[in-house]
Amino acid sequence: MKPLAKRTDELRQSNIRAVSMMVEAAGGINLGQGICDLPTPPQLRTAAQMALDENRSSYSHYAGIHELRRVILNKARTFNQIPINGTDEIVVSVGSTGAFATTMMAILDPGDEVVLFEPFYGYHRKLVVAMGGKPISVRQAIPSWSVDFDEFERSVTPATKAVVITTPGNPNGKVWTIDELGILLEIAARHDLYLVTDEIYEYITYDGRRHVSAASLPGGYERTITISGFSKTYNMTGWRLGYAIALPPVIEKIGLLNDLFYICAPTPLQYGVAAATEMNSSYYDTMRADYDAKRKLMCVSLESIGFDVPWPEGAYYVLASFRSLQNRADGFEDDETACRTLIDRCGVGSVAGSSFFSQQFDGSHFLRFCYAKEMRDLRQACDRLVDVFG
């Protein structure tokens, strides 16, 4: 047989899914994969069911139903403060991952470089590679996750096409500040780079922090492709609905590729999400408060057993270091061993830190924990950790 495409050479099954299978086999509690097990709001479920009952199940417009794009338009103008002109600058896709994939396909030629700030979301790096791009990593300082912008600018070459950020961040919960985004845009403008922002956790921030979209800043919309979705905000990760926002010359190509790859996002579910316009602002306040309580429980529990914990500023993950545990407990020689140790000894799943770094050694003393769980399950997982390792 002739060889397969070279773009598949570096692709491997995500460690996150492997851990999920291990935890399931052990009958444990999965704090690894970012599967939110909280209920989807009833009005969204009801609206989707009505669409099914009314047989609104055929192909939609490739960029999404008009009702949903109107919802996104209003939200982008008000919450995100993006100077978007109309619904023709929005493409609804199969999850924010689908929006990211079509964006990378639209802007990258083989050999183009893309800067990622690490720790990064692993799917971003893998999709860059799959599209023929070359990922370039720039480290964020630990534990503040601050960015050395001089180092970032030094990483830019004539082959650099784009820079990708996630804010709030997965896996570290970093919330990019308005000052950081301003500097990032200055450098991007100086080198004529696209800025791709993954903002899927935009409603989940802590300690009074405010999410800022880079596209809302002066000169930002001209070169920014904003990606987001509904999975994390409305607890519907399996619905696979996300979107991209950009100016017409860019979004037109993203839309054509969205049509080519997916035809359209699931139509009845689009009608369900369009019902999100009925969500009261108290929903978002309650969600943030609930996640903040879970953040505190997770971080305090990990600290009590010896983890070094940079408390997340947003999203619902903790990337914690177990370096201090290596001297007093067996089974913590590296991240993959530590991950298995937690599953074997207390039935709690996490994700090996090397999944989020370009060099495995850099993440070898980290584990990522997801606390988007029912409080009773999260409390049980934390109790297990403290009982066994405390």
Side-chain angles (χ1 to χ4, degrees):
M1 296 292 290
K2 291 185 176 181
L4 297 173
K6 293 184 183 300
R7 69 175 60 92
T8 65
D9 289 350
E10 294 187 31
L11 295 180
R12 300 289 185 275
Q13 179 62 64
S14 167
N15 289 339
I16 298 173
R17 294 192 180 278
V19 168
S20 295
M21 290 185 286
M22 292 169 61
V23 175
E24 183 177 356
I29 301 172
N30 190 358
L31 304 186
Q33 191 169 0
I35 301 175
C36 180
D37 61 7
L38 303 174
T40 305
Q43 52 265 60
L44 274 69
R45 301 198 308 269
T46 299
Q49 184 62 55
M50 287 179 59
L52 288 168
D53 293 341
E54 296 168 3
N55 202 30
R56 288 179 283 170
S57 300
S58 60
Y59 296 138
S60 76
H61 188 282
Y62 68 85
I65 63 172
H66 179 71
E67 294 91 330
L68 180 53
R69 283 186 286 152
R70 286 295 306 177
V71 168
I72 296 169
L73 174 67
N74 292 334
K75 174 258 182 189
R77 285 175 171 172
T78 55
F79 178 78
N80 301 98
Q81 298 291 301
I82 296 173
I84 181 173
N85 298 297
T87 57
D88 58 346
E89 296 175 9
I90 299 167
V91 168
V92 177
S93 189
V94 182
S96 60
T97 302
F100 186 84
T102 51
T103 294
M104 290 296 105
M105 182 63 79
I107 67 177
L108 294 184
D109 286 318
D112 284 343
E113 295 176 352
V114 179
V115 177
L116 303 172
F117 293 94
E118 64 176 47
F120 46 66
Y121 176 50
Y123 274 50
H124 287 168
R125 189 178 192 277
K126 291 178 179 180
L127 281 167
V128 168
V129 172
M131 300 305 173
K134 180 181 178 182
I136 305 296
S137 295
V138 174
R139 292 286 302 274
Q140 297 174 87
I142 301 170
S144 66
W145 309 121
S146 59
V147 174
D148 184 335
F149 287 101
D150 291 333
E151 180 186 352
F152 163 54
E153 190 157 20
R154 286 193 299 270
S155 75
V156 176
T157 75
T160 307
K161 179 69 76 68
V163 55
V164 175
I165 67 168
T166 305
T167 181
N170 174 9
N172 59 353
K174 174 182 173 60
V175 174
W176 283 66
T177 68
I178 191 170
D179 292 337
E180 289 175 320
L181 292 172
I183 297 171
L184 185 66
L185 281 168
E186 288 177 8
I187 298 172
R190 196 152 52 238
H191 296 276
D192 194 21
L193 306 177
Y194 289 104
L195 174 57
V196 181
T197 64
D198 184 337
E199 305 180 20
I200 189 71
Y201 300 98
E202 58 196 341
Y203 285 103
I204 307 173
T205 56
Y206 308 113
D207 302 325
R209 292 180 178 86
R210 182 174 69 91
H211 171 74
V212 180
S213 294
S216 70
L217 302 182
Y221 193 39
E222 285 73 11
R223 64 180 59 257
T224 301
I225 302 164
T226 305
I227 291 172
S228 191
F230 311 97
S231 298
K232 316 301 182 181
T233 304
Y234 302 121
N235 311 321
M236 39 182 280
T237 52
W239 288 38
R240 310 311 305 138
L241 288 173
Y243 58 87
I245 298 174
L247 285 174
V250 178
I251 204 69
E252 177 187 4
K253 299 299 185 183
I254 293 173
L256 291 171
L257 288 161
N258 193 63
D259 183 23
L260 181 63
F261 289 161
Y262 310 117
I263 308 299
C264 66
T267 303
L269 304 185
Q270 292 187 60
Y271 284 105
V273 176
T277 53
E278 302 172 7
M279 302 296 287
N280 190 285
S281 61
S282 62
Y283 171 85
Y284 305 97
D285 295 335
T286 299
M287 176 185 64
R288 276 189 292 271
D290 287 346
Y291 276 131
D292 192 23
K294 294 172 183 178
R295 176 183 70 138
K296 292 173 181 175
L297 173 62
M298 186 84 257
C299 292
V300 168
S301 298
L302 289 173
E303 287 177 337
S304 72
I305 62 177
F307 277 82
D308 295 321
V309 184
W311 283 45
E313 300 169 344
Y316 47 56
Y317 305 100
V318 177
L319 188 64
S321 171
F322 56 84
R323 193 187 296 277
S324 62
L325 285 170
Q326 292 175 322
N327 297 323
R328 67 175 182 84
D330 294 331
F332 289 91
E333 289 78 13
D334 57 51
D335 56 327
E336 293 185 1
T337 303
C339 182
R340 289 193 296 270
T341 296
L342 263 59
I343 295 173
D344 293 342
R345 296 183 60 184
C346 62
V348 173
S350 58
V351 179
S354 56
S355 303
F356 311 105
F357 292 83
S358 56
Q359 300 298 318
Q360 186 170 357
F361 174 79
D362 292 330
S364 63
H365 60 280
F366 284 104
L367 293 177
R368 191 199 73 173
F369 299 86
C370 171
Y371 51 85
K373 304 293 174 183
E374 293 281 4
M375 181 59 92
R376 64 178 181 276
D377 295 330
L378 180 64
R379 186 173 288 111
Q380 182 181 5
C382 290
D383 287 345
R384 291 184 182 187
L385 288 168
V386 172
D387 288 345
V388 173
F389 300 105

